[in-house]
Amino acid sequence: MRIINRSYLSCPLIEEIHIQNVLGGCEKRQWLFGGRVSIGAGVYTKAVTFTSLTGGLVTVVDHSQIFAQKLNAAPVNKTFVTSKTGSGFTLNGDPGALYSILVLATLPTYPRATPKWAKDYCPYCKNLGFDAVIGSSLKDIAAFSGIATTSVGGTVAVAFPTLTATSGAAGVDRGSQKASLVTMMYDNEYQIILTPLDTAVTSAPYPSSITVDGFTLNGDASKSYDIFILGQIRF
Amino acid sequence: MKGRWVKDICPYAKDQGFNSVIGDVRPGEKIFGFTVTSTSTDMTLTLKTVTGGKVTQMHDLNYRVIPVKVDTGSVAAVAYIKTKAKTSFHLCAENNKIYDIVVIGRVLY
């Protein structure tokens, strides 16, 4: 059995860049990146390339998982993805709507013919039981997650200190002496993905009132949702 | 914010062509993804099976799952997740459709 909660104190990355931990992975050369995408007025689809999402830093992938979440307004045409290729995909949704996009992609072997496991290369990753770490195209980006439950009115104000609290029911085994792991984001341009839990929903969830401190989760009444955030954390 | 590139600090990242790495706030978390075709509207996904053996069991139930339909046809029902266990969870979605799924949490092995 691996011990997976060891300290990162030895890893120079933690000291040198603005992250508290590193996100581990299970595949070689896997990247996580995202961005905001708008569908044009009067149309229901938008072709998205990895090049446009990453500013040209990722152009082709071997395989990927793609996630999309409408922001600011309830989805009329529920969001889905078609035409996945090694260079992009088609986003299907509402005309004129804004979406958070998240891509977990494994890059092709070429031009690096010998991708390595982090555990075979880096003593810190080996110590942590990480087979791999997740690459990024941008500086200082972190991923974190949590769970929130809407009120009987179908909304809940999600605050990052609460979402990442280190005490109480939501804070079990967080491995920190801080009151919360995330206080606020650097800007409003972070990506949000929501997943309903436990029972079917009548309306697709969406976030609104997105600020550096949190956002409003809109969904069904008294319903729990998995929340995934990708962006730059201020502290 | 120091704003430095990881590739300038970490020899592994530089060797693998990573400009940076994704940070996290919780120790020991991993992310992994897979693509499945649903075989029912309430499908049990066993981690060991869907990840090809890369992940067998989560450390605890405090992990997150994101499913998104990546198939043709408008979405008739919003996909949701239920019955999270350490070795499996249920994807409740349309039958015979392709879904991308990602999991973030602490992996036991």
mmCIF file of all heavy atoms in Angstrom, chain A residues 22-74:
data_model
loop_
_atom_site.group_PDB
_atom_site.id
_atom_site.type_symbol
_atom_site.label_atom_id
_atom_site.label_comp_id
_atom_site.label_asym_id
_atom_site.label_seq_id
_atom_site.Cartn_x
_atom_site.Cartn_y
_atom_site.Cartn_z
ATOM 1 N N VAL A 22 1.222 19.348 -6.079
ATOM 2 C CA VAL A 22 1.210 19.028 -7.504
ATOM 3 C C VAL A 22 0.126 17.989 -7.748
ATOM 4 O O VAL A 22 -0.072 17.090 -6.924
ATOM 5 C CB VAL A 22 2.592 18.495 -7.948
ATOM 6 C CG1 VAL A 22 2.559 18.030 -9.390
ATOM 7 C CG2 VAL A 22 3.656 19.565 -7.767
ATOM 8 N N LEU A 23 -0.573 18.124 -8.855
ATOM 9 C CA LEU A 23 -1.623 17.166 -9.202
ATOM 10 C C LEU A 23 -1.001 15.968 -9.904
ATOM 11 O O LEU A 23 -0.338 16.118 -10.935
ATOM 12 C CB LEU A 23 -2.661 17.831 -10.106
ATOM 13 C CG LEU A 23 -3.858 16.989 -10.527
ATOM 14 C CD1 LEU A 23 -4.675 16.548 -9.312
ATOM 15 C CD2 LEU A 23 -4.746 17.765 -11.486
ATOM 16 N N GLY A 24 -1.202 14.810 -9.346
ATOM 17 C CA GLY A 24 -0.657 13.595 -9.935
ATOM 18 C C GLY A 24 -1.499 13.089 -11.100
ATOM 19 O O GLY A 24 -2.643 13.502 -11.291
ATOM 20 N N GLY A 25 -0.907 12.180 -11.870
ATOM 21 C CA GLY A 25 -1.607 11.606 -13.017
ATOM 22 C C GLY A 25 -1.341 10.133 -13.151
ATOM 23 O O GLY A 25 -0.550 9.562 -12.390
ATOM 24 N N CYS A 26 -1.996 9.523 -14.103
ATOM 25 C CA CYS A 26 -1.878 8.085 -14.323
ATOM 26 C C CYS A 26 -1.411 7.737 -15.729
ATOM 27 O O CYS A 26 -1.387 6.576 -16.099
ATOM 28 C CB CYS A 26 -3.212 7.402 -14.036
ATOM 29 S SG CYS A 26 -3.750 7.560 -12.332
ATOM 30 N N GLU A 27 -1.093 8.745 -16.529
ATOM 31 C CA GLU A 27 -0.573 8.500 -17.870
ATOM 32 C C GLU A 27 0.636 9.399 -18.100
ATOM 33 O O GLU A 27 0.730 10.482 -17.524
ATOM 34 C CB GLU A 27 -1.630 8.801 -18.944
ATOM 35 C CG GLU A 27 -2.808 7.862 -18.935
ATOM 36 C CD GLU A 27 -3.721 8.069 -20.133
ATOM 37 O OE1 GLU A 27 -3.227 8.441 -21.214
ATOM 38 O OE2 GLU A 27 -4.932 7.866 -19.977
ATOM 39 N N LYS A 28 1.531 8.932 -18.978
ATOM 40 C CA LYS A 28 2.670 9.763 -19.334
ATOM 41 C C LYS A 28 2.208 10.904 -20.235
ATOM 42 O O LYS A 28 1.315 10.735 -21.069
ATOM 43 C CB LYS A 28 3.705 8.920 -20.091
ATOM 44 C CG LYS A 28 4.306 7.781 -19.280
ATOM 45 C CD LYS A 28 5.180 6.924 -20.177
ATOM 46 C CE LYS A 28 5.738 5.729 -19.420
ATOM 47 N NZ LYS A 28 6.463 4.799 -20.293
ATOM 48 N N ARG A 29 2.869 12.020 -20.109
ATOM 49 C CA ARG A 29 2.680 13.193 -20.962
ATOM 50 C C ARG A 29 1.225 13.635 -21.045
ATOM 51 O O ARG A 29 0.686 13.888 -22.108
ATOM 52 C CB ARG A 29 3.224 12.922 -22.364
ATOM 53 C CG ARG A 29 4.704 12.593 -22.407
ATOM 54 C CD ARG A 29 5.331 13.003 -23.701
ATOM 55 N NE ARG A 29 5.390 14.454 -23.824
ATOM 56 C CZ ARG A 29 5.255 15.108 -24.979
ATOM 57 N NH1 ARG A 29 5.024 14.456 -26.080
ATOM 58 N NH2 ARG A 29 5.351 16.427 -24.997
ATOM 59 N N GLN A 30 0.574 13.694 -19.913
ATOM 60 C CA GLN A 30 -0.818 14.119 -19.872
ATOM 61 C C GLN A 30 -0.899 15.577 -19.412
ATOM 62 O O GLN A 30 -0.235 15.971 -18.461
ATOM 63 C CB GLN A 30 -1.619 13.229 -18.922
ATOM 64 C CG GLN A 30 -3.112 13.247 -19.166
ATOM 65 C CD GLN A 30 -3.812 12.081 -18.494
ATOM 66 O OE1 GLN A 30 -3.416 11.653 -17.418
ATOM 67 N NE2 GLN A 30 -4.840 11.568 -19.130
ATOM 68 N N TRP A 31 -1.711 16.343 -20.102
ATOM 69 C CA TRP A 31 -1.887 17.763 -19.809
ATOM 70 C C TRP A 31 -3.330 18.016 -19.420
ATOM 71 O O TRP A 31 -4.246 17.329 -19.879
ATOM 72 C CB TRP A 31 -1.567 18.620 -21.036
ATOM 73 C CG TRP A 31 -0.119 18.767 -21.373
ATOM 74 C CD1 TRP A 31 0.824 17.785 -21.366
ATOM 75 C CD2 TRP A 31 0.538 19.952 -21.795
ATOM 76 N NE1 TRP A 31 2.039 18.290 -21.754
ATOM 77 C CE2 TRP A 31 1.886 19.624 -22.036
ATOM 78 C CE3 TRP A 31 0.129 21.260 -22.004
ATOM 79 C CZ2 TRP A 31 2.823 20.561 -22.462
ATOM 80 C CZ3 TRP A 31 1.059 22.193 -22.439
ATOM 81 C CH2 TRP A 31 2.396 21.846 -22.660
ATOM 82 N N LEU A 32 -3.514 19.050 -18.624
ATOM 83 C CA LEU A 32 -4.856 19.543 -18.306
ATOM 84 C C LEU A 32 -4.885 21.021 -18.657
ATOM 85 O O LEU A 32 -4.059 21.788 -18.174
ATOM 86 C CB LEU A 32 -5.159 19.333 -16.821
ATOM 87 C CG LEU A 32 -6.543 19.729 -16.314
ATOM 88 C CD1 LEU A 32 -7.628 18.869 -16.944
ATOM 89 C CD2 LEU A 32 -6.612 19.597 -14.786
ATOM 90 N N PHE A 33 -5.805 21.384 -19.518
ATOM 91 C CA PHE A 33 -5.910 22.797 -19.869
ATOM 92 C C PHE A 33 -7.368 23.135 -20.138
ATOM 93 O O PHE A 33 -8.213 22.248 -20.305
ATOM 94 C CB PHE A 33 -5.025 23.145 -21.077
ATOM 95 C CG PHE A 33 -5.248 22.298 -22.295
ATOM 96 C CD1 PHE A 33 -6.196 22.642 -23.245
ATOM 97 C CD2 PHE A 33 -4.503 21.152 -22.499
ATOM 98 C CE1 PHE A 33 -6.392 21.867 -24.385
ATOM 99 C CE2 PHE A 33 -4.699 20.359 -23.623
ATOM 100 C CZ PHE A 33 -5.646 20.709 -24.564
ATOM 101 N N GLY A 34 -7.656 24.403 -20.146
ATOM 102 C CA GLY A 34 -9.032 24.826 -20.350
ATOM 103 C C GLY A 34 -9.098 26.234 -20.862
ATOM 104 O O GLY A 34 -8.082 26.863 -21.163
ATOM 105 N N GLY A 35 -10.308 26.729 -20.982
ATOM 106 C CA GLY A 35 -10.512 28.090 -21.451
ATOM 107 C C GLY A 35 -11.982 28.399 -21.550
ATOM 108 O O GLY A 35 -12.836 27.533 -21.313
ATOM 109 N N ARG A 36 -12.270 29.637 -21.857
ATOM 110 C CA ARG A 36 -13.652 30.061 -22.076
ATOM 111 C C ARG A 36 -13.916 30.128 -23.574
ATOM 112 O O ARG A 36 -13.097 30.651 -24.333
ATOM 113 C CB ARG A 36 -13.881 31.441 -21.447
ATOM 114 C CG ARG A 36 -13.692 31.460 -19.913
ATOM 115 C CD ARG A 36 -14.982 31.162 -19.213
ATOM 116 N NE ARG A 36 -14.828 31.111 -17.758
ATOM 117 C CZ ARG A 36 -15.011 32.157 -16.942
ATOM 118 N NH1 ARG A 36 -15.326 33.348 -17.446
ATOM 119 N NH2 ARG A 36 -14.902 32.006 -15.632
ATOM 120 N N VAL A 37 -15.087 29.607 -23.964
ATOM 121 C CA VAL A 37 -15.470 29.582 -25.381
ATOM 122 C C VAL A 37 -16.890 30.091 -25.505
ATOM 123 O O VAL A 37 -17.760 29.707 -24.714
ATOM 124 C CB VAL A 37 -15.367 28.153 -25.955
ATOM 125 C CG1 VAL A 37 -16.022 28.058 -27.316
ATOM 126 C CG2 VAL A 37 -13.912 27.718 -26.031
ATOM 127 N N SER A 38 -17.144 30.937 -26.489
ATOM 128 C CA SER A 38 -18.499 31.416 -26.764
ATOM 129 C C SER A 38 -19.003 30.821 -28.067
ATOM 130 O O SER A 38 -18.260 30.757 -29.060
ATOM 131 C CB SER A 38 -18.524 32.943 -26.867
ATOM 132 O OG SER A 38 -18.250 33.529 -25.630
ATOM 133 N N ILE A 39 -20.258 30.416 -28.059
ATOM 134 C CA ILE A 39 -20.914 30.008 -29.298
ATOM 135 C C ILE A 39 -21.521 31.252 -29.926
ATOM 136 O O ILE A 39 -22.102 32.097 -29.229
ATOM 137 C CB ILE A 39 -21.992 28.941 -29.019
ATOM 138 C CG1 ILE A 39 -21.333 27.663 -28.486
ATOM 139 C CG2 ILE A 39 -22.805 28.650 -30.270
ATOM 140 C CD1 ILE A 39 -22.301 26.550 -28.153
ATOM 141 N N GLY A 40 -21.378 31.385 -31.216
ATOM 142 C CA GLY A 40 -21.843 32.586 -31.897
ATOM 143 C C GLY A 40 -23.356 32.737 -31.876
ATOM 144 O O GLY A 40 -24.102 31.777 -31.654
ATOM 145 N N ALA A 41 -23.806 33.962 -32.094
ATOM 146 C CA ALA A 41 -25.238 34.234 -32.137
ATOM 147 C C ALA A 41 -25.882 33.503 -33.317
ATOM 148 O O ALA A 41 -25.324 33.445 -34.412
ATOM 149 C CB ALA A 41 -25.472 35.735 -32.265
ATOM 150 N N GLY A 42 -27.027 32.908 -33.071
ATOM 151 C CA GLY A 42 -27.787 32.288 -34.150
ATOM 152 C C GLY A 42 -27.343 30.895 -34.535
ATOM 153 O O GLY A 42 -27.925 30.278 -35.438
ATOM 154 N N VAL A 43 -26.313 30.370 -33.878
ATOM 155 C CA VAL A 43 -25.852 29.012 -34.183
ATOM 156 C C VAL A 43 -25.778 28.207 -32.889
ATOM 157 O O VAL A 43 -25.737 28.771 -31.789
ATOM 158 C CB VAL A 43 -24.477 29.005 -34.891
ATOM 159 C CG1 VAL A 43 -24.578 29.681 -36.240
ATOM 160 C CG2 VAL A 43 -23.429 29.698 -34.023
ATOM 161 N N TYR A 44 -25.751 26.905 -33.028
ATOM 162 C CA TYR A 44 -25.805 26.026 -31.862
ATOM 163 C C TYR A 44 -24.502 25.249 -31.644
ATOM 164 O O TYR A 44 -24.420 24.445 -30.726
ATOM 165 C CB TYR A 44 -26.966 25.037 -32.009
ATOM 166 C CG TYR A 44 -28.317 25.716 -31.972
ATOM 167 C CD1 TYR A 44 -28.884 26.256 -33.130
ATOM 168 C CD2 TYR A 44 -29.021 25.857 -30.786
ATOM 169 C CE1 TYR A 44 -30.117 26.902 -33.111
ATOM 170 C CE2 TYR A 44 -30.245 26.494 -30.747
ATOM 171 C CZ TYR A 44 -30.784 27.014 -31.911
ATOM 172 O OH TYR A 44 -31.988 27.662 -31.873
ATOM 173 N N THR A 45 -23.553 25.461 -32.511
ATOM 174 C CA THR A 45 -22.292 24.731 -32.384
ATOM 175 C C THR A 45 -21.107 25.665 -32.584
ATOM 176 O O THR A 45 -21.244 26.739 -33.174
ATOM 177 C CB THR A 45 -22.190 23.597 -33.434
ATOM 178 O OG1 THR A 45 -22.197 24.175 -34.749
ATOM 179 C CG2 THR A 45 -23.339 22.620 -33.297
ATOM 180 N N LYS A 46 -19.975 25.216 -32.099
ATOM 181 C CA LYS A 46 -18.724 25.928 -32.360
ATOM 182 C C LYS A 46 -17.584 24.924 -32.449
ATOM 183 O O LYS A 46 -17.416 24.088 -31.544
ATOM 184 C CB LYS A 46 -18.420 26.937 -31.263
ATOM 185 C CG LYS A 46 -17.132 27.744 -31.515
ATOM 186 C CD LYS A 46 -16.884 28.746 -30.425
ATOM 187 C CE LYS A 46 -15.614 29.563 -30.686
ATOM 188 N NZ LYS A 46 -15.704 30.397 -31.889
ATOM 189 N N ALA A 47 -16.843 25.020 -33.525
ATOM 190 C CA ALA A 47 -15.652 24.188 -33.660
ATOM 191 C C ALA A 47 -14.526 24.793 -32.837
ATOM 192 O O ALA A 47 -14.213 25.976 -32.987
ATOM 193 C CB ALA A 47 -15.245 24.100 -35.126
ATOM 194 N N VAL A 48 -13.951 23.991 -31.960
ATOM 195 C CA VAL A 48 -12.893 24.459 -31.056
ATOM 196 C C VAL A 48 -11.630 23.655 -31.343
ATOM 197 O O VAL A 48 -11.691 22.420 -31.445
ATOM 198 C CB VAL A 48 -13.306 24.272 -29.578
ATOM 199 C CG1 VAL A 48 -12.201 24.764 -28.643
ATOM 200 C CG2 VAL A 48 -14.613 25.000 -29.295
ATOM 201 N N THR A 49 -10.521 24.332 -31.477
ATOM 202 C CA THR A 49 -9.243 23.638 -31.649
ATOM 203 C C THR A 49 -8.415 23.757 -30.371
ATOM 204 O O THR A 49 -8.543 24.729 -29.622
ATOM 205 C CB THR A 49 -8.435 24.218 -32.827
ATOM 206 O OG1 THR A 49 -8.078 25.571 -32.506
ATOM 207 C CG2 THR A 49 -9.250 24.184 -34.120
ATOM 208 N N PHE A 50 -7.582 22.747 -30.150
ATOM 209 C CA PHE A 50 -6.680 22.818 -29.008
ATOM 210 C C PHE A 50 -5.694 23.985 -29.174
ATOM 211 O O PHE A 50 -5.262 24.587 -28.195
ATOM 212 C CB PHE A 50 -5.929 21.498 -28.836
ATOM 213 C CG PHE A 50 -6.844 20.332 -28.585
ATOM 214 C CD1 PHE A 50 -6.685 19.132 -29.268
ATOM 215 C CD2 PHE A 50 -7.888 20.428 -27.680
ATOM 216 C CE1 PHE A 50 -7.526 18.056 -29.037
ATOM 217 C CE2 PHE A 50 -8.741 19.363 -27.447
ATOM 218 C CZ PHE A 50 -8.565 18.185 -28.126
ATOM 219 N N THR A 51 -5.371 24.286 -30.405
ATOM 220 C CA THR A 51 -4.483 25.413 -30.671
ATOM 221 C C THR A 51 -5.082 26.706 -30.129
ATOM 222 O O THR A 51 -4.409 27.506 -29.467
ATOM 223 C CB THR A 51 -4.236 25.542 -32.183
ATOM 224 O OG1 THR A 51 -3.626 24.352 -32.665
ATOM 225 C CG2 THR A 51 -3.335 26.714 -32.494
ATOM 226 N N SER A 52 -6.380 26.916 -30.402
ATOM 227 C CA SER A 52 -7.008 28.158 -29.932
ATOM 228 C C SER A 52 -7.147 28.180 -28.411
ATOM 229 O O SER A 52 -7.052 29.234 -27.791
ATOM 230 C CB SER A 52 -8.379 28.331 -30.596
ATOM 231 O OG SER A 52 -9.269 27.297 -30.200
ATOM 232 N N LEU A 53 -7.365 27.010 -27.808
ATOM 233 C CA LEU A 53 -7.528 26.966 -26.348
ATOM 234 C C LEU A 53 -6.221 27.233 -25.612
ATOM 235 O O LEU A 53 -6.228 27.751 -24.497
ATOM 236 C CB LEU A 53 -8.051 25.590 -25.928
ATOM 237 C CG LEU A 53 -9.558 25.384 -25.863
ATOM 238 C CD1 LEU A 53 -9.875 23.967 -25.433
ATOM 239 C CD2 LEU A 53 -10.228 26.379 -24.944
ATOM 240 N N THR A 54 -5.102 26.878 -26.232
ATOM 241 C CA THR A 54 -3.808 26.974 -25.532
ATOM 242 C C THR A 54 -2.884 28.017 -26.145
ATOM 243 O O THR A 54 -1.710 28.074 -25.773
ATOM 244 C CB THR A 54 -3.088 25.612 -25.545
ATOM 245 O OG1 THR A 54 -2.780 25.266 -26.911
ATOM 246 C CG2 THR A 54 -3.927 24.538 -24.915
ATOM 247 N N GLY A 55 -3.391 28.802 -27.039
ATOM 248 C CA GLY A 55 -2.524 29.788 -27.667
ATOM 249 C C GLY A 55 -1.419 29.157 -28.489
ATOM 250 O O GLY A 55 -0.337 29.726 -28.611
ATOM 251 N N GLY A 56 -1.682 27.982 -29.021
ATOM 252 C CA GLY A 56 -0.717 27.313 -29.884
ATOM 253 C C GLY A 56 0.244 26.381 -29.171
ATOM 254 O O GLY A 56 1.074 25.745 -29.809
ATOM 255 N N LEU A 57 0.140 26.279 -27.851
ATOM 256 C CA LEU A 57 1.082 25.434 -27.115
ATOM 257 C C LEU A 57 0.738 23.957 -27.238
ATOM 258 O O LEU A 57 1.598 23.101 -27.111
ATOM 259 C CB LEU A 57 1.117 25.853 -25.644
ATOM 260 C CG LEU A 57 1.714 27.244 -25.408
ATOM 261 C CD1 LEU A 57 1.523 27.679 -23.974
ATOM 262 C CD2 LEU A 57 3.188 27.251 -25.766
ATOM 263 N N VAL A 58 -0.546 23.643 -27.427
ATOM 264 C CA VAL A 58 -0.954 22.264 -27.709
ATOM 265 C C VAL A 58 -1.724 22.289 -29.025
ATOM 266 O O VAL A 58 -2.718 23.003 -29.151
ATOM 267 C CB VAL A 58 -1.847 21.699 -26.590
ATOM 268 C CG1 VAL A 58 -2.345 20.307 -26.963
ATOM 269 C CG2 VAL A 58 -1.099 21.653 -25.270
ATOM 270 N N THR A 59 -1.259 21.546 -29.995
ATOM 271 C CA THR A 59 -1.930 21.538 -31.295
ATOM 272 C C THR A 59 -2.567 20.182 -31.596
ATOM 273 O O THR A 59 -3.655 20.122 -32.159
ATOM 274 C CB THR A 59 -0.951 21.883 -32.424
ATOM 275 O OG1 THR A 59 0.163 20.980 -32.358
ATOM 276 C CG2 THR A 59 -0.442 23.306 -32.270
ATOM 277 N N VAL A 60 -1.896 19.114 -31.224
ATOM 278 C CA VAL A 60 -2.385 17.768 -31.521
ATOM 279 C C VAL A 60 -2.230 16.908 -30.274
ATOM 280 O O VAL A 60 -1.218 16.993 -29.578
ATOM 281 C CB VAL A 60 -1.597 17.129 -32.686
ATOM 282 C CG1 VAL A 60 -2.079 15.712 -32.954
ATOM 283 C CG2 VAL A 60 -1.734 17.963 -33.945
ATOM 284 N N VAL A 61 -3.249 16.081 -30.003
ATOM 285 C CA VAL A 61 -3.171 15.166 -28.862
ATOM 286 C C VAL A 61 -3.394 13.741 -29.354
ATOM 287 O O VAL A 61 -3.966 13.518 -30.423
ATOM 288 C CB VAL A 61 -4.205 15.525 -27.774
ATOM 289 C CG1 VAL A 61 -4.044 16.977 -27.337
ATOM 290 C CG2 VAL A 61 -5.615 15.263 -28.243
ATOM 291 N N ASP A 62 -2.938 12.799 -28.546
ATOM 292 C CA ASP A 62 -3.156 11.392 -28.888
ATOM 293 C C ASP A 62 -4.586 10.997 -28.543
ATOM 294 O O ASP A 62 -5.296 10.420 -29.356
ATOM 295 C CB ASP A 62 -2.161 10.519 -28.121
ATOM 296 C CG ASP A 62 -2.289 9.058 -28.478
ATOM 297 O OD1 ASP A 62 -1.837 8.674 -29.563
ATOM 298 O OD2 ASP A 62 -2.893 8.305 -27.665
ATOM 299 N N HIS A 63 -5.001 11.268 -27.324
ATOM 300 C CA HIS A 63 -6.389 11.060 -26.922
ATOM 301 C C HIS A 63 -6.721 12.031 -25.799
ATOM 302 O O HIS A 63 -5.825 12.582 -25.150
ATOM 303 C CB HIS A 63 -6.648 9.607 -26.511
ATOM 304 C CG HIS A 63 -5.812 9.117 -25.371
ATOM 305 N ND1 HIS A 63 -4.539 8.622 -25.537
ATOM 306 C CD2 HIS A 63 -6.055 9.074 -24.046
ATOM 307 C CE1 HIS A 63 -4.047 8.270 -24.357
ATOM 308 N NE2 HIS A 63 -4.953 8.539 -23.428
ATOM 309 N N SER A 64 -8.022 12.239 -25.602
ATOM 310 C CA SER A 64 -8.407 13.271 -24.635
ATOM 311 C C SER A 64 -9.793 13.003 -24.079
ATOM 312 O O SER A 64 -10.573 12.227 -24.648
ATOM 313 C CB SER A 64 -8.396 14.649 -25.306
ATOM 314 O OG SER A 64 -9.373 14.699 -26.330
ATOM 315 N N GLN A 65 -10.069 13.625 -22.941
ATOM 316 C CA GLN A 65 -11.421 13.740 -22.412
ATOM 317 C C GLN A 65 -11.755 15.234 -22.356
ATOM 318 O O GLN A 65 -10.929 16.039 -21.920
ATOM 319 C CB GLN A 65 -11.554 13.119 -21.018
ATOM 320 C CG GLN A 65 -11.628 11.603 -21.006
ATOM 321 C CD GLN A 65 -10.280 10.943 -21.108
ATOM 322 O OE1 GLN A 65 -9.326 11.382 -20.488
ATOM 323 N NE2 GLN A 65 -10.168 9.889 -21.896
ATOM 324 N N ILE A 66 -12.954 15.560 -22.806
ATOM 325 C CA ILE A 66 -13.329 16.965 -22.965
ATOM 326 C C ILE A 66 -14.597 17.243 -22.164
ATOM 327 O O ILE A 66 -15.546 16.455 -22.210
ATOM 328 C CB ILE A 66 -13.552 17.297 -24.450
ATOM 329 C CG1 ILE A 66 -12.243 17.096 -25.218
ATOM 330 C CG2 ILE A 66 -14.064 18.725 -24.630
ATOM 331 C CD1 ILE A 66 -12.407 17.034 -26.703
ATOM 332 N N PHE A 67 -14.591 18.373 -21.446
ATOM 333 C CA PHE A 67 -15.719 18.716 -20.586
ATOM 334 C C PHE A 67 -16.113 20.161 -20.831
ATOM 335 O O PHE A 67 -15.264 21.023 -21.052
ATOM 336 C CB PHE A 67 -15.343 18.491 -19.119
ATOM 337 C CG PHE A 67 -14.828 17.101 -18.895
ATOM 338 C CD1 PHE A 67 -13.473 16.838 -18.985
ATOM 339 C CD2 PHE A 67 -15.697 16.061 -18.699
ATOM 340 C CE1 PHE A 67 -12.992 15.552 -18.854
ATOM 341 C CE2 PHE A 67 -15.229 14.769 -18.563
ATOM 342 C CZ PHE A 67 -13.872 14.513 -18.642
ATOM 343 N N ALA A 68 -17.430 20.400 -20.801
ATOM 344 C CA ALA A 68 -17.933 21.744 -21.064
ATOM 345 C C ALA A 68 -19.054 22.072 -20.098
ATOM 346 O O ALA A 68 -19.851 21.197 -19.730
ATOM 347 C CB ALA A 68 -18.432 21.832 -22.507
ATOM 348 N N GLN A 69 -19.112 23.323 -19.692
ATOM 349 C CA GLN A 69 -20.117 23.785 -18.735
ATOM 350 C C GLN A 69 -20.583 25.177 -19.143
ATOM 351 O O GLN A 69 -19.760 26.094 -19.244
ATOM 352 C CB GLN A 69 -19.507 23.839 -17.329
ATOM 353 C CG GLN A 69 -20.367 24.502 -16.274
ATOM 354 C CD GLN A 69 -21.584 23.656 -15.920
ATOM 355 O OE1 GLN A 69 -21.454 22.526 -15.493
ATOM 356 N NE2 GLN A 69 -22.779 24.220 -16.120
ATOM 357 N N LYS A 70 -21.891 25.313 -19.384
ATOM 358 C CA LYS A 70 -22.417 26.639 -19.692
ATOM 359 C C LYS A 70 -22.348 27.517 -18.443
ATOM 360 O O LYS A 70 -22.642 27.059 -17.329
ATOM 361 C CB LYS A 70 -23.855 26.547 -20.202
ATOM 362 C CG LYS A 70 -24.410 27.892 -20.641
ATOM 363 C CD LYS A 70 -25.823 27.796 -21.187
ATOM 364 C CE LYS A 70 -26.348 29.187 -21.521
ATOM 365 N NZ LYS A 70 -27.743 29.159 -22.022
ATOM 366 N N LEU A 71 -22.008 28.805 -18.657
ATOM 367 C CA LEU A 71 -21.878 29.754 -17.563
ATOM 368 C C LEU A 71 -22.986 30.799 -17.634
ATOM 369 O O LEU A 71 -23.467 31.137 -18.714
ATOM 370 C CB LEU A 71 -20.514 30.456 -17.626
ATOM 371 C CG LEU A 71 -19.274 29.569 -17.690
ATOM 372 C CD1 LEU A 71 -18.022 30.436 -17.816
ATOM 373 C CD2 LEU A 71 -19.174 28.680 -16.473
ATOM 374 N N ASN A 72 -23.365 31.289 -16.488
ATOM 375 C CA ASN A 72 -24.173 32.512 -16.333
ATOM 376 C C ASN A 72 -25.658 32.382 -16.623
ATOM 377 O O ASN A 72 -26.431 33.255 -16.234
ATOM 378 C CB ASN A 72 -23.606 33.658 -17.179
ATOM 379 C CG ASN A 72 -22.179 33.977 -16.802
ATOM 380 O OD1 ASN A 72 -21.804 33.849 -15.639
ATOM 381 N ND2 ASN A 72 -21.377 34.353 -17.773
ATOM 382 N N ALA A 73 -26.100 31.356 -17.337
ATOM 383 C CA ALA A 73 -27.526 31.225 -17.658
ATOM 384 C C ALA A 73 -27.861 29.747 -17.825
ATOM 385 O O ALA A 73 -27.000 28.936 -18.176
ATOM 386 C CB ALA A 73 -27.868 31.978 -18.937
ATOM 387 N N ALA A 74 -29.113 29.421 -17.580
ATOM 388 C CA ALA A 74 -29.540 28.026 -17.661
ATOM 389 C C ALA A 74 -29.418 27.501 -19.090
ATOM 390 O O ALA A 74 -29.825 28.184 -20.033
ATOM 391 C CB ALA A 74 -30.979 27.896 -17.183
#
